[in-house]
Structures are given as structure tokens and as C-alpha cells.
Amino acid sequence: MATSADVTPGGAMDEERVQQFLEQVISDSAAAVAGLCTSLGDRLGLYAAMAGAGPLTSAQLADRTGLAERYVREWLAAQVAGEYVDYAPGTDTYVLPDEHAAVLADQDAPTYAAGFFTLLQALYATEDALMTAFRTGEGVGWEEHGPALFAGTAKFFRPGYAAALVPEWLTALDGVVEKLERGALVADVGCGYGYSTTLMAQAFPRSRFRGFDFHRPSVEAAREIVAEQGLGDRVSFDVATAQDFPGEGFDLITFFDCLHDIGDPGGALHHAEEALADDGTCMLVEPNVSEHAEENTNPIGRAITASSVAVCLPSALAQHGPQALGNHAGEEAMREIADEAGLHHWRLAAETPVNRVYAVGR
Ligand SMILES: C[S@@+](CC[C@H](N)C(=O)[O-])C[C@H]1O[C@@H](n2cnc3c(N)ncnc32)[C@H](O)[C@@H]1O
């Protein structure tokens, strides 16, 4: 019987390659559906309840979490299938290894990665809007997504910021830490839930911080977080666009993972240039991904480029600005935009597997 392999132009199909690719796609589909269970484990506190607890039966875990045992047992079976949780059939008990707890259970660990899964609910829910957007070329605004995007973004980025922002990124900027220690004025543009803002504020008690974001629900969440942390006297959050946020004389203006989401990044950087103090610095934190598609064939490159399809590019397009960079436009494109905005000094100051940090100034 003839198969599509027989009629493929250019020769016979490599059947082994088909099988390998089929396995890859099946493995991806398993990860895609299992991701829901990871998010449930994170949001329902199942991983947290298992962390450090040693072997637990499903009934014991249900008891600890106040959840229905039948669901917990089903969830545990999926966790075992994914090798997230170990199972001892003899005692019918489950263990979350400490090493896995560091990735799934402890939101303060630098290795915590479960936050990403909160995002997925919002990304998958965007599919119909994206179908339309692909056909029309219009955007899908940041604010059009479900709340899981905003909370998930904050959860996903926070561990990386907690690990690197103060000890590595700020110290890589010339003279900025000294200013922050003496008492500086800082604007955090596109601040979202403001974890970057409050991390800096905790480290530099003599400085004042103003977070700005055009998304009101995120600003309200940031205000709640700052009130809980008791930093309200030095940290404020206001609704404002990157192109018109109030204030001047800022010693440091930061853009964490947001410049590429802005429809007018040049306008935002031009406004930042005007709002900077004479010797002020801009810090741009952008995804660590290449503008060359063929260089992104790794899990981080894949996650970042797919996020650009789902959120970053549509967000910028929805703002009807002069640009829609996507999250992998590349250093040169951003450097040119900064240069045109009057920020002529550009330096790659620091790098992690997820982010690149640029120090930018006049
Ligand atoms: C990927 S999130 C990053 C949020 C936060 N900086 C963080 O790192 O967690 C992008 C943020 O940019 C904000 N944003 C996008 N366009 C904006 C604009 N033109 N003006 C102000 N904020 C904007 C969004 O509301 C969103 O909070």
C-alpha cells in the first residue's frame, strides 16, 4: 500500500526520523497535559505539603492539605508517572524528594520553577483570540488575558530576581549601588506586581522607589504586596504608561522584562531619558534568547519564543505603536532604539540563563 513516504518529493521518508519525532511530540503532549497537574500541585499546596514530610499516603496528604482524597490519589498517580514523586508500592506511600521540592515547593528558592505553570492557564485560554489575531494582524492586549497571566508572570520571574537582582545585576551597573546606599530615587517601569521594586527597596533602606504599570489590577496587587511588607513609606505604585510616567531626577530607571511588550519602546526610552537625573542609569532586563531562531533550540529558548507568540508580540501590537519587537528582537535592535532615544551608552552588564541585563545611559 502506498504511504505518504512513497510520494514525498525528494526521496524516501526517513522512517526512523519519523518515529523519533513522533516520540518527541508525544513527550511534548504529555508535558503539556501534565503541566495542569503541576499547576494544581503548586496552587493547591500539594507540593508544599509534601516538602520535607517524608513518605505519605494519599489519605495523609489529603488530610494535610484539606483536599479530597480521591482527587489527591489521582494526582499522585500522575506525579509518579512524570517522575516528580517517588512511590513505594509496599507501603503505598509517596515522597517528594528534597531536590524536587527545591524546584516545586519552595517559592523562595532560586530554583523554584512551578510559577511558570500558573501562566499556562492564561496562555491556553488565549488561543481563540490568537486565532483571530493571526488572521487580522491585530494585537491581544496584556489586559485582555486572564488574571493567571499577571499572577503567573510575577511568580515566574520572582525567584530569578530574588537570586540575581541585588547581588549581581545592580552591582554590575557602574556606581549605582553606591547611590542606592546613600539614598537614590528609582523608577521601575512596567513593574507588574512589583517584586523587582520591593526586592530593591528591601536591600536599600535609604532609597525611594516608584513602580509604574499601565495595568491597574497589577498595580493594585503591587500595592497590597508592599503594604504587607511594610515598605509603604518608601515604595509607591501608580498606574502610568511607560511613555508618560510622572516624576524626574531618577537615579535609576528599570525595565524588567517589559520593554519588548511596549508598543512604543522608543517613546518609553525617550521618556526615561528625560526623567533620568544628569548621571542616571537605565537598566533593561530582557529575555536571554537569540534573534536567530536556529540558536534557540533549547528549553529556555523554546519557552521564551513561544511566550512571544502568545503574549509579548500581541501585547505590543495591541498598543498600535511604531514597533512590535517580540521578545527576541536582539540586542542590536534594542540598542538602536535606545540610541535614537538619546541613550547612547549601551553595555551588556550581566547575564543569567533566563535574562540579559543592559546598562544604558546618555
Ligand atoms: C512580562 S510583564 C513584566 C512585569 C514585571 N516587570 C516583572 O518582571 O515581573 C510586562 C509588564 O509590562 C506592562 N506594560 C506593557 N506595556 C506597557 C506600557 N506601554 N506602559 C506601562 N506598562 C506596560 C504590563 O502591564 C506588564 O505588567
Side-chain angles (χ1 to χ4, degrees):
M1 195 173 76
T3 68
S4 60
D6 298 321
V7 294
T8 301
M13 181 117 64
D14 180 342
E15 288 299 340
E16 197 183 321
R17 193 171 167 197
V18 173
Q19 283 308 314
Q20 280 171 356
F21 183 64
L22 177 60
E23 279 169 32
Q24 180 188 332
V25 172
I26 289 171
S27 156
D28 286 349
S29 63
V33 66
L36 174 62
C37 292
T38 308
S39 185
L40 288 169
D42 176 56
R43 295 178 62 204
L44 290 170
L46 286 155
Y47 294 127
M50 293 186 83
L56 293 173
T57 62
S58 59
Q60 286 168 327
L61 182 57
D63 194 41
R64 277 178 172 236
T65 51
L67 300 171
E69 188 277 336
R70 184 66 191 87
Y71 274 102
V72 170
R73 195 171 0 126
E74 211 75 350
W75 178 83
L76 281 165
Q79 296 303 298
V80 173
E83 299 182 83
Y84 280 24
V85 163
D86 294 339
Y87 177 57
T91 51
D92 199 17
T93 54
Y94 304 83
V95 173
L96 181 68
D98 290 345
E99 295 79 5
H100 295 196
V103 178
L104 297 169
D106 179 3
Q107 297 203 11
D108 291 324
T111 45
Y112 172 70
F116 185 74
F117 293 85
T118 303
L119 280 170
L120 294 178
Q121 183 194 126
L123 298 193
Y124 275 75
T126 307
E127 188 172 339
D128 287 350
L130 286 173
M131 296 275 286
T132 304
F134 266 69
R135 292 181 174 125
T136 62
E138 291 297 318
V140 180
W142 180 263
E143 68 290 346
E144 291 179 55
H145 296 278
L149 178 69
F150 321 128
T153 299
K155 259 168 99 176
F156 170 58
F157 283 127
R158 194 176 80 106
Y161 296 165
L165 166 53
V166 171
E168 291 171 27
W169 298 350
L170 291 176
T171 53
L173 307 178
D174 294 331
V176 167
V177 165
E178 291 77 2
K179 284 184 203 166
L180 289 166
E181 279 169 349
R182 280 198 303 272
L185 181 60
V186 179
D188 189 3
V189 179
C191 62
Y193 277 33
Y195 284 127
S196 49
T197 331
T198 50
L199 280 164
M200 292 189 285
Q202 280 160 348
F204 300 103
R206 291 195 179 150
S207 289
R208 285 174 300 134
F209 298 83
R210 299 193 65 182
F212 302 108
D213 199 293
F214 77 165
H215 184 240
R216 181 172 293 280
S218 292
V219 167
E220 284 165 1
R223 284 178 179 155
E224 276 176 29
I225 291 165
V226 86
E228 277 164 23
Q229 296 184 351
L231 294 167
D233 55 332
R234 292 185 298 111
V235 183
S236 63
F237 291 103
D238 290 293
V239 178
T241 74
Q243 300 89 306
D244 72 358
F245 62 86
E248 57 187 5
F250 291 103
D251 300 288
L252 176 66
I253 300 180
T254 57
F255 292 79
F256 288 90
D257 279 291
C258 66
L259 188 71
H260 59 263
D261 293 321
I262 296 170
D264 185 4
L269 290 180
H270 179 67
H271 184 62
E273 192 276 328
E274 288 179 335
L276 275 179
D278 285 346
D279 60 347
T281 304
C282 254
M283 178 166 79
L284 306 183
V285 177
E286 281 291 307
N288 193 351
V289 67
S290 171
E291 66 270 37
H292 305 295
E294 72 279 11
E295 293 176 4
N296 295 326
T297 53
N298 57 72
I300 289 175
R302 192 177 181 196
I304 291 174
T305 52
S307 304
S308 196
V309 176
V311 179
C312 306
L313 179 73
S315 163
L317 283 168
Q319 296 180 32
H320 299 290
Q323 260 113 12
L325 292 177
N327 69 16
H328 47 97
E331 180 171 354
E332 207 38 53
M334 289 186 293
R335 180 206 278 259
E336 267 175 37
I337 291 169
D339 195 53
E340 277 171 25
L343 295 167
H344 308 299
H345 289 277
W346 177 280
R347 180 170 67 85
L348 174 64
E351 196 167 7
T352 68
V354 177
N355 286 118
R356 276 188 204 151
V357 180
Y358 302 103
V360 183
R362 289 191 189 90

